[in-house]
Amino acid sequence: MISSKVWPKTTSALATACGMAWILAGCSGTAEDVRIRLCKDLVIAQLPGAARPAWAEADVEMRRSEELVVLLSFDARGAGGKAEPMRATCHYRHDAVDDTALTLANPAAAYSTSPYRMTLNGESIGNPRLARAIKQAMTKQGRELLEKAQKGIDDAARAIEGSFGGGEGR
């Protein structure tokens, strides 16, 4: 049985650890707009093999009541293995019927979070290729979220174990 002196310490450690795990699992870890993040992940899904982009610029252009366009500039290894400047655009439909407090405070909230059109270095990426790329990007984001949640749970378990003196004396 746990003594009354240990119980408050254990409860506090458990609550703190659970709170940390919940916060870590729920946060994306970045203030970057979800449309920019998804567009970057779509680019990664379209690049060959181990090519990793070095992001230079991410601009957002809102065409009121039409679409939001994410414009990405980056360097990545081309077919010859040499880093080349590249560009990508992702187009998101306007989804809002009326302005709301949310869309007035954050105009980007009026637009879809999944692109209906994409270009990579001037090449149009259409369906079904775009649908496959979206699936790959969403799978990658889901995997990253699960890994972050697992890390949060592991950290919480270590914090709880540490509150019991490292688990010694069992």
Side-chain angles (χ1 to χ4, degrees), residues 121-159:
N121 291 326
E123 177 191 354
S124 182
I125 311 292
N127 282 323
R129 187 173 162 197
L130 179 58
R132 281 192 302 271
I134 291 170
K135 180 181 175 184
Q136 283 179 294
M138 298 304 285
T139 300
K140 175 186 176 283
Q141 290 178 2
R143 192 176 316 111
E144 289 171 354
L145 177 65
L146 290 175
E147 288 169 359
K148 192 174 288 187
Q150 183 63 51
K151 182 184 180 316
I153 291 168
D154 292 345
D155 291 348
R158 278 191 292 280

Side-chain angles (χ1 to χ4, degrees), residues 61-69 71 91 94 111 117:
E61 182 182 303
M62 281 188 219
R63 299 174 184 157
R64 261 330 231 187
S65 300
E66 289 179 40
E67 65 179 1
L68 179 143
V69 181
L71 305 140
H91 299 256
H94 186 263
Y111 298 88
R117 189 172 76 205

Side-chain angles (χ1 to χ4, degrees), residues 15-168:
T16 300
C18 288
M20 287 180 357
W22 179 74
I23 289 169
L24 285 172
C27 293
S28 66
T30 178
E32 189 171 59
D33 183 82
V34 295
R35 293 158 199 85
I36 294 172
R37 168 93 190 277
L38 179 57
C39 194
K40 286 180 176 181
D41 285 343
L42 290 171
V43 167
I44 291 168
Q46 295 301 308
L47 292 177
R52 288 288 167 241
W55 304 110
E57 197 173 353
D59 291 321
V60 175
E61 182 182 303
M62 281 188 219
R63 299 174 184 157
R64 261 330 231 187
S65 300
E66 289 179 40
E67 65 179 1
L68 179 143
V69 181
V70 172
L71 305 140
L72 300 175
S73 299
F74 58 97
D75 292 330
R77 299 206 184 282
K82 183 181 173 194
E84 301 173 12
M86 298 185 179
R87 292 186 52 80
T89 61
C90 296
H91 299 256
Y92 298 85
R93 292 187 199 284
H94 186 263
D95 280 344
V97 175
D98 294 319
D99 284 333
T100 64
L102 176 62
T103 59
L104 291 173
N106 177 12
Y111 298 88
S112 173
T113 54
S114 184
Y116 71 94
R117 189 172 76 205
M118 178 184 182
T119 61
L120 181 58
N121 291 326
E123 177 191 354
S124 182
I125 311 292
N127 282 323
R129 187 173 162 197
L130 179 58
R132 281 192 302 271
I134 291 170
K135 180 181 175 184
Q136 283 179 294
M138 298 304 285
T139 300
K140 175 186 176 283
Q141 290 178 2
R143 192 176 316 111
E144 289 171 354
L145 177 65
L146 290 175
E147 288 169 359
K148 192 174 288 187
Q150 183 63 51
K151 182 184 180 316
I153 291 168
D154 292 345
D155 291 348
R158 278 191 292 280
I160 291 169
E161 187 175 88
S163 73
F164 287 113
E168 298 168 8

